[in-house]
Amino acid sequence: MTPSSSPPSSVGARPRRTPASLSMTILFLFAFLGAAASSGASASSSSSTSTSSSTSTSTPCSDVTDLRRRISRSLSTLSTGGRPSSSSLRGVIDDVLSRSECDALVRLLEPRRFVSGGGYDSSNSGYTAPHGYAGLGLRELSRGAASTSSSGSVSGSTSEDETPILTEHQYDRLLEWRERARSSAERALGLCPGTLRVDFTAISQKTPGGSHRPHADNAYHRFVPLPPGAAASVSGDSSGESSASSTVVAIDTSRGDHPFPNRIAASILYLNDDGYDGGEFYFARPSDGAPDVTVRPGAGRMAVFTAGVENLHGALPVREPQGKKREGEGEGEGEGEGEGEGECPPTRRLALAMWYVADAEDEETVPKYGSTPEEEEEDPNIHPLFELPVKSIKRGGLRLALSLHLLGRQNTPSRGSWKFVGNDGDAAAGRGGIDLGMVFQDGTGMISVRLRDDAIEVGRHTDGPNGGRASLRYALQESVLLHDLLDELYSLAYENGDEGEGGDGDKDSIRDEDRLVIFETSERGGDDDPIERARMTLPARRA
């Protein structure tokens, strides 16, 4: 592990490769020599040698409680304007994967198979994907992703000639490398085996311009002025350094509203270091978020760090390498897709990104190879609420109308009560995701809306910080918002555009073919009216 708080040259240069087997041989050789040392050796030398030579007296590992204690000390130092030592909370490791292993995986990952924004819009996070980012999660890698167009957007259906991204053997190998990265992250943070559990796994692809602003993985952040006299402790000297970079610090402002507060660590494992410039991962300066320590790409090199504001981090933009000839004649960004024999590789930075939690209940489910959505176990954190069968639906128009409606309800009953999230319709439908959602302010629940050709699905997601349980506050507001949503759907399906205050209006003022949605019902408000049936399932009724 290379502590990045004081990075040696290897953090900023191409890694030197020492085979793991040779490293272990050296360790055991020193252990043997230590055990054979003369009995007259000093007690301190004997103690030092036995640390490497005996399993029972090896360097002690720590549990998650100790890790959180270290993080707490770091945050306390930050809050008073100090600059904490980060050597035990971050690091850089070379050769987690060999170059040949990295190259083999890169060759299998065609640019067109990546999902734009993959991993960011498939949850209730409300996150937006970084610019120039696409990803593949275990779900896509275990069975193949949907075909993509040359622009990289998901087409919404699987092509007939689609083949899996990985074979079963290759998928198993990927899971082995995933475990190698996880165990390496534990060792880098001084944690006992089995402490870290994987919360989410993704292979990220950043293309030219792709970057990531400074952020934490389990909390939002902001910068606040330090009290008078505290700036000197940030600068670390009395040389009259400008206070511009030392009058603010990053602090945790999550207050329970962050979608992933249980994450305790993360790792970024570079898979390639050629065919592009830039793309450096960096640890940000806690005073203003500017890059502080950069980690240059190196195939097999992994950055490890705790997930909070003590380790703000980001990624610098990926750039076209100087002198590289672009494929085609510059007509389209995805022209050619890098498929030609002997052509320059596509300009992209690939990395295996993993986020970690401590609780087993938060651990990622690893899909079985070849499984389909129907074969996968149902997510216990997704609860269908009701389904409204439709006779016809204009999905684009209805998505826009409901988006505007829900955006107007974000501050009901109080400011910031809800946060609207939305996906591009074709991409959402193609990945089985949601079209619209409303995340409650405490992050324990989300209302989701999915627009299908034959029905409107409404569900509740509870994969937030409350162990898969929605809070009482959420439960009290859920039915209010759902009744309001049903009122809007009723208006769109049944009511006329400009009815007079006291009249029924012209029955044919809005023709059926012009309506955004028509429900499967024989009589508006009748026993088979989907809206009325849905109201009956809700715990609260409108007066």
Side-chain angles (χ1 to χ4, degrees):
M1 168 177 172
T2 306
S4 56
S5 57
S6 179
S9 58
S10 64
V11 174
R14 189 178 297 275
R16 292 177 298 173
R17 311 210 167 269
T18 301
S21 58
L22 177 58
S23 299
M24 292 302 296
T25 302
I26 294 172
L27 285 176
F28 281 108
L29 177 59
F30 275 110
F32 174 80
L33 293 175
S38 66
S39 59
S42 66
S44 59
S45 298
S46 299
S47 174
S48 174
T49 302
S50 64
T51 299
S52 298
S53 63
S54 172
T55 302
S56 61
T57 57
S58 61
T59 302
C61 59
S62 63
D63 59 12
V64 71
T65 300
D66 177 74
L67 179 63
R68 286 175 173 147
R69 190 179 298 117
R70 284 184 268 154
I71 293 171
S72 179
R73 287 196 297 266
S74 179
L75 293 175
S76 178
T77 304
L78 279 176
S79 68
T80 58
R83 181 143 184 164
S85 170
S86 57
S87 60
S88 68
L89 300 180
R90 65 169 73 159
V92 177
I93 316 169
D94 283 334
D95 302 304
V96 175
L97 296 183
S98 69
R99 177 168 290 276
S100 61
E101 289 172 327
C102 290
D103 290 346
L105 182 55
V106 168
R107 285 194 297 269
L108 297 171
L109 302 174
E110 300 177 63
R112 68 183 183 87
R113 306 302 291 272
F114 281 77
V115 177
S116 179
Y120 278 81
D121 51 9
S122 60
S123 69
N124 69 346
S125 67
Y127 274 1
T128 55
H131 175 67
Y133 171 89
L136 287 172
L138 293 183
R139 174 170 293 185
E140 291 86 9
L141 292 165
S142 65
R143 64 172 182 264
S147 296
T148 57
S149 65
S150 60
S151 63
S153 60
V154 175
S155 64
S157 63
T158 302
S159 66
E160 294 180 1
D161 62 347
E162 179 186 321
T163 57
I165 298 174
L166 304 176
T167 66
E168 185 171 5
H169 172 71
Q170 291 163 348
Y171 181 63
D172 289 341
R173 287 287 287 158
L174 174 65
L175 295 181
E176 291 175 11
W177 295 336
R178 172 180 179 264
E179 171 58 21
R180 195 187 303 174
R182 188 203 65 80
S183 58
S184 296
E186 282 180 335
R187 290 192 296 272
L189 296 174
L191 297 173
C192 298
T195 301
L196 296 181
R197 300 174 184 271
V198 181
D199 173 54
F200 189 70
T201 307
I203 296 180
S204 69
Q205 174 179 266
K206 282 188 169 68
T207 50
S211 62
H212 211 156
R213 293 179 298 176
H215 63 284
D217 289 332
N218 64 10
Y220 299 122
H221 73 279
R222 61 190 175 99
F223 301 103
V224 298
L226 286 170
S233 64
V234 176
S235 64
D237 59 45
S238 56
S239 61
E241 179 183 327
S242 170
S243 62
S245 64
S246 57
T247 56
V248 289
V249 294
I251 65 169
D252 186 335
T253 60
S254 63
R255 301 188 309 275
D257 58 355
H258 193 276
F260 307 114
N262 292 344
R263 288 179 174 173
I264 58 174
S267 62
I268 300 292
L269 172 59
Y270 289 118
L271 298 177
N272 67 331
D273 53 18
D274 54 0
Y276 66 95
D277 287 340
E280 296 92 341
F281 174 88
Y282 67 86
F283 293 108
R285 197 160 55 201
S287 60
D288 57 8
D292 187 20
V293 176
T294 59
V295 181
R296 289 191 61 188
R301 172 179 290 159
M302 186 170 79
V304 184
F305 47 94
T306 53
V309 295
E310 71 281 356
N311 273 319
L312 288 180
H313 57 279
L316 297 176
V318 172
R319 305 188 306 273
E320 290 277 7
Q322 291 185 352
K324 178 180 179 180
K325 295 181 180 180
R326 294 186 62 87
E327 295 181 56
E329 297 298 326
E331 295 179 3
E333 184 177 337
E335 204 77 40
E337 300 283 2
E339 297 173 357
E341 291 287 338
E343 298 288 348
C344 293
T347 302
R348 56 176 181 160
R349 190 205 81 172
L350 295 175
L352 176 62
M354 296 168 61
W355 292 265
Y356 305 100
V357 292
D359 297 330
E361 61 185 19
D362 296 325
E363 191 169 8
E364 177 181 40
T365 299
V366 176
K368 181 181 178 181
Y369 184 80
S371 60
T372 64
E374 293 75 18
E375 294 171 338
E376 291 176 2
E377 293 184 7
E378 292 186 3
D379 189 334
N381 296 315
I382 300 178
H383 313 276
L385 295 175
F386 53 80
E387 184 175 293
L388 308 174
V390 300
K391 188 182 299 182
S392 71
I393 184 172
K394 301 181 187 300
R395 292 178 54 198
L398 184 59
R399 186 183 305 111
L400 175 60
L402 293 181
S403 295
L404 294 173
H405 172 77
L406 294 175
L407 281 167
R409 299 301 186 274
Q410 293 185 106
N411 296 321
T412 303
S414 59
R415 184 175 179 82
S417 291
W418 297 91
K419 183 175 182 179
F420 172 80
V421 294
N423 288 329
D424 172 75
D426 290 336
R431 292 192 297 276
I434 67 166
D435 290 274
L436 311 167
M438 290 286 273
V439 182
F440 193 58
Q441 63 183 166
D442 63 7
T444 64
M446 178 185 77
I447 295 172
S448 66
V449 180
R450 184 183 178 203
L451 306 178
R452 298 191 339 234
D453 291 333
D454 60 345
I456 299 173
E457 294 179 3
V458 179
R460 177 196 306 131
H461 297 237
T462 57
D463 50 346
N466 203 28
R469 300 182 303 275
S471 66
L472 177 60
R473 292 172 58 211
Y474 169 87
L476 293 172
Q477 295 302 322
E478 180 190 72
S479 63
V480 175
L481 187 65
L482 289 176
H483 274 294
D484 199 52
L485 176 65
L486 290 172
D487 286 345
E488 180 67 10
L489 288 169
Y490 183 95
S491 175
L492 294 170
Y494 299 133
E495 294 181 355
N496 296 319
D498 293 309
E499 295 181 347
E501 276 278 337
D504 293 334
D506 183 0
K507 180 179 180 181
D508 298 321
S509 61
I510 297 181
R511 298 176 301 174
D512 282 354
E513 56 264 34
D514 294 329
R515 290 195 179 275
L516 297 178
V517 61
I518 299 176
F519 291 109
E520 286 280 5
T521 179
S522 59
E523 180 184 3
R524 178 174 68 179
D527 292 341
D528 65 343
D529 187 329
I531 290 182
E532 293 306 313
R533 291 203 306 271
R535 287 194 193 279
M536 295 297 293
T537 67
L538 301 179
R541 299 295 305 277
R542 284 266 178 111

